[in-house]
Amino acid sequence: MRMYDIIKKKRDGGVLTSAEIEAFIEGYVGGEIPDYQASALMMAIYFRSMTDEETALLTDAMARSGETVDLSRFGNLSVDKHSTGGVGDKTTLIVAPILASLGARVAKMTGRGLGHTGGTADKLESIKGFRTSLSVEEFISQTEKIGIAVTAQSGNLTPADKMLYSLRDVTATVDSIPLITSSIMSKKLAAGSKNIVLDVKTGSGAFMKTEEDAKILAENMVRIGKKCGRNVSALITNMDRPLGFAVGNALEVAEAAKVLRGEQKGDLYEVCVALATEMAALSLRLSPEDAKQAVIKAIADGSAYKKMKDWISAQGGDTACIDDASLLPQASFKKTVYAPCEGFIEKMDAEAIGTAVVMLGGGRLKKEDTIDYAAGIILNKKTGDYIKSGEQLCVLYTNNEASLVSAEAKYLEAVSFSQREPVFRPEIIEIVR
């Protein structure tokens, strides 16, 4: 089977067979197919797209290109969540303990932050002693004992995806729905959970800027996940403003703990309850109404917060940091940003606010960049709030005093004001089942 013929077939609008897709993935990962032929196929797929059957075959082949995790011992109880990335998105820190406290099994492999979006692994590493590197044996054993384990992605998990994404990134073929779907879903399949809930974000701080694009991606991932034998649903959620009030690693850990202690409601609570409800409905086979009541009760009675501390302790973290946020990394410098005028906050460019956090040291522009875990922003006001001139908008935190001026300027660029109360989208835009 020649790679030339596979490229030509897709270039001309043909439908690739299972054997052709397998041959491509095996050959590319094995070093037999050069980058220039792989990039030619990616470009052909970009223009000609793929059928659902082709996308499912590609997803499955990519998932099997490296190590896979076997969670079959947990039956239908295993559940995973994936977010397409946002600003202030600490939902894993909240929904995972909720689900584990209800009896589900959350075995999650997670990534690090890059660019304006944060990463769960970085947030967890702001907790003293927390280990984000677990062996497969530790990963499964901990999931069995306490119902939850979160580890940084294995180096040999879906190598095909790593290789192809690096290629797509430099050949202008990232924005292809079949290729995005296979990239995300192959990692979820390899991680082993029977049930998968997707948080597809849309808006200024999201990869999918429009609701239309987010819906297309959500529907595609749900269909492909089901074709690959998993129970999948997706929530399309609003990312036109940061989620919650904290943006930055240690600050987000502290906020997640507040939500689980029942001390904070608002948009973050709403999104987490919706995600956890969907995860509980799938993994515990509950009606949406019963699942929601169970989720709310797990927060209210403290069982989810206790499970969070059990999880942190099991992975070597200091649980005193969860009870007392002052024991988390603290910034040497802070700066309060004041409103330059009076009015309603009409819009917040979430991506720009995420960039301001990176400027403070709380994120990465390159994979090798180091993180200042204490850096970030606490928002005092958000879209829709009325504010008077000179009132506090937010507080910036960093260990690099020189970054405060530029970060403040970036934040102020991100916020616009109006004399009329704005109308903005709900947090949960749609559920795709």
Side-chain angles (χ1 to χ4, degrees), residues 393-412:
L393 277 172
C394 71
V395 182
L396 312 180
Y397 295 87
T398 185
N399 284 304
N400 176 16
E401 187 176 17
S403 68
L404 288 168
V405 173
S406 56
E408 178 183 17
K410 175 59 73 173
Y411 175 84
L412 288 171

Side-chain angles (χ1 to χ4, degrees), residues 331-387:
S332 302
F333 306 98
K334 67 177 184 178
K335 182 176 177 61
T336 301
V337 179
Y338 298 97
C341 60
E342 184 169 340
F344 290 98
I345 297 181
E346 182 181 33
K347 290 181 182 177
M348 299 182 84
D349 183 338
E351 182 173 346
I353 292 171
T355 300
V357 171
V358 175
M359 294 165 72
L360 291 166
R364 296 181 184 85
L365 293 175
K366 305 185 297 295
K367 286 183 180 179
E368 59 270 21
D369 288 349
T370 57
I371 291 254
D372 174 1
Y373 293 113
I377 299 176
I378 293 291
L379 306 170
N380 296 101
K381 301 288 184 178
K382 295 178 67 172
T383 310
D385 290 337
Y386 190 83
I387 191 164

Side-chain angles (χ1 to χ4, degrees), residues 94 98 259-262 269 273 294-304:
I94 299 167
I98 293 172
V259 171
L260 287 178
R261 287 197 298 266
Y269 175 88
V273 167
V295 166
I296 291 171
K297 183 175 182 293
I299 298 173
D301 67 15
S303 57

